[in-house]
Amino acid sequence: MTVDVLRRPALAERRARVAVAVLFFTNGALFANLLPRYPQIKADLGIGNAAYGLAVAAFPAGAIAAGLAAGILVRRFGSARVAVGGTLLTGVGILAAGLADTMVLFAGALFLAGAADAFTDVAQNAHGLRVQRRYGRSIINSFHAVWSIGAVTGGSMAAVAMALDVPRGGHLLFSAVVFAIAACVALRFCLPGPESEPDGEPDAAGRAPRQKRRTAPGPRTSYVLAALVLIATAGTLVEDAGSSWATLYLSDSLHASVALAAAGYVALVGAQFVGRLIGDRLVDRFGQRAVARSGALVAAAGMGLALAVPTVPGTILGFAAAGFGVATLVPAAMHEADELPGLKPGSGLTIVSWLMRLGFLLSPPIVGLVADASSLRVGLLVVPFAGLLVLLLAGVLQPRRP
């Protein structure tokens, strides 16, 4: 019998894992309740593609403006409290965005929601990695898989609400209240104590925690960190293509019904969930490098084919292929950045989380401008291009362990 099976995770650790999963679920579900409403909001505001792209870019702009403060808040108040507080503020911002009657108010509400989401993102990943260290094995992909379940749930809630002609205000208020309660309950079961685990504290397998090397950061560390940022950004570019443009592309360009148009985003996050659900086992077997390269190829080929031969079923499958292909990119980049030598604890995670949001900031206006100048179909070429970028940079990820 090996030491790996001598001790199961304690009850408090298992409860903490469930609590972090709830936080990821609520984070995914909140914003997904708003996304299928975008075409209605765009029509009500009477704005074009370029103006719409600039407005929805306010969400990542808010995240970038506030993102670097997340680390300070986590050290001051603890990752669990920051994650829950960010969830509450995100719900308020999303509700305000749904009720906005001008483009300025719409963009301002998304800016607030994006800033709060940045706090939640860093904090819930920090707490999730803390729980993972207690477990002594990879579980981070499972948290992101639960985020995808939340996104599918939120998108489905919105689709049902639209099909039943539920007003935006009532729908988004219900969503905000339900998920705020869930996050507050989860807070009770998160890990107590300081964010830094004591040196020498064993994990669930009875092993002492692996210590980060305290070497000074060199050119190699800087290069790897930059590559990890680009890999994570590629993943967010694909996610943004689904969240900001899938519904519009299917409804406006391919003339799908309102309910069917929402299936593009749901397919992307649903396939992303499947990829993350099996991601930990795939990484353990084949290595993160091979998994990332294979996924990038699937995303580029699947979405490229869907754009080359545009049909409603093919496009929905293309978004699904893209979601599956990039499923493990953001968790992998965050985890490896958090383990880079020579950086202060949490610095790599914060930098990657902050800079990858540039993808969300730059993608909507760029795709919108291209769509107005040519077509949205051409603008969505950002998805296969993101897959090609990962193919070029995946060498910085960990290979299969011997």
Side-chain angles (χ1 to χ4, degrees), residues 15-374:
R15 286 178 173 174
R17 181 178 182 178
V18 174
V20 174
V22 170
L23 294 177
F24 272 83
F25 179 90
T26 59
N27 183 246
L30 272 174
F31 195 42
N33 267 276
L34 176 65
L35 295 176
R37 295 282 193 172
Y38 272 180
Q40 294 177 347
I41 295 173
K42 178 176 178 288
D44 289 346
L45 296 179
I47 56 179
N49 286 326
Y52 167 78
L54 289 172
V56 298
F59 186 90
I64 291 173
L68 289 181
I72 298 173
L73 292 174
V74 166
R75 289 191 292 271
R76 175 68 177 84
F77 299 104
S79 57
R81 290 180 179 177
V82 173
V84 173
T87 297
L88 301 182
L89 288 176
T90 300
V92 171
I94 288 172
L95 175 60
L99 296 175
D101 56 3
T102 68
M103 177 181 166
V104 173
L105 291 177
F106 177 57
L110 288 180
F111 187 92
L112 169 64
D117 182 73
F119 299 151
T120 301
D121 186 40
V122 172
Q124 69 186 8
N125 275 284
H127 208 79
L129 289 171
R130 185 180 171 195
V131 175
Q132 177 173 275
R133 286 191 291 271
R134 294 284 191 95
Y135 265 67
R137 57 184 172 86
S138 177
I139 58 174
I140 190 65
N141 279 298
S142 68
F143 291 136
H144 286 261
V146 172
W147 184 95
S148 297
I149 297 177
V152 171
T153 301
S156 300
M157 288 172 62
V160 171
M162 290 188 297
L164 296 176
D165 292 324
V166 178
R168 281 201 303 270
H171 159 221
L172 295 176
L173 176 62
F174 173 80
S175 168
V177 171
V178 167
F179 296 122
I181 292 173
C184 290
V185 172
L187 178 61
R188 295 186 54 200
F189 300 99
C190 289
L191 293 176
E195 293 302 305
S196 299
E197 299 293 344
D199 290 341
E201 182 174 340
D203 59 27
R207 299 184 296 257
R210 181 164 62 92
Q211 301 298 312
K212 184 185 290 188
R213 290 175 290 166
R214 299 297 183 182
T215 57
R220 171 65 180 172
T221 299
S222 300
Y223 165 74
V224 171
L225 184 59
L228 292 174
V229 168
L230 290 175
I231 289 172
T233 301
T236 61
L237 283 172
V238 175
E239 290 183 22
D240 177 73
S243 63
S244 297
W245 301 105
T247 304
L248 281 175
Y249 178 63
L250 284 162
S251 61
D252 292 356
S253 300
L254 301 183
H255 310 294
S257 66
V258 173
L260 186 58
Y265 175 68
V266 173
L268 185 144
V269 293
Q272 189 179 59
F273 158 70
V274 174
R276 288 173 172 173
L277 189 66
I278 63 177
D280 288 317
R281 278 179 281 182
L282 289 176
V283 169
D284 287 340
R285 182 170 182 179
F286 301 108
Q288 184 59 64
R289 184 182 301 172
V291 171
R293 283 175 173 163
S294 300
L297 185 60
V298 169
M303 197 62 194
L305 181 60
L307 294 173
V309 186
T311 64
V312 171
T315 299
I316 293 173
L317 289 176
F319 277 112
F324 183 82
V326 303
T328 64
L329 295 185
V330 172
M334 287 184 168
H335 174 260
E336 296 205 23
D338 199 48
E339 298 294 327
L340 280 176
L343 299 178
K344 294 180 179 179
S347 295
L349 172 62
T350 300
I351 291 171
V352 168
S353 178
W354 183 61
L355 289 178
M356 78 175 184
R357 291 178 180 271
L358 285 173
F360 281 123
L361 177 64
L362 298 177
S363 178
I366 291 175
V367 174
L369 289 170
V370 173
D372 281 346
S374 178

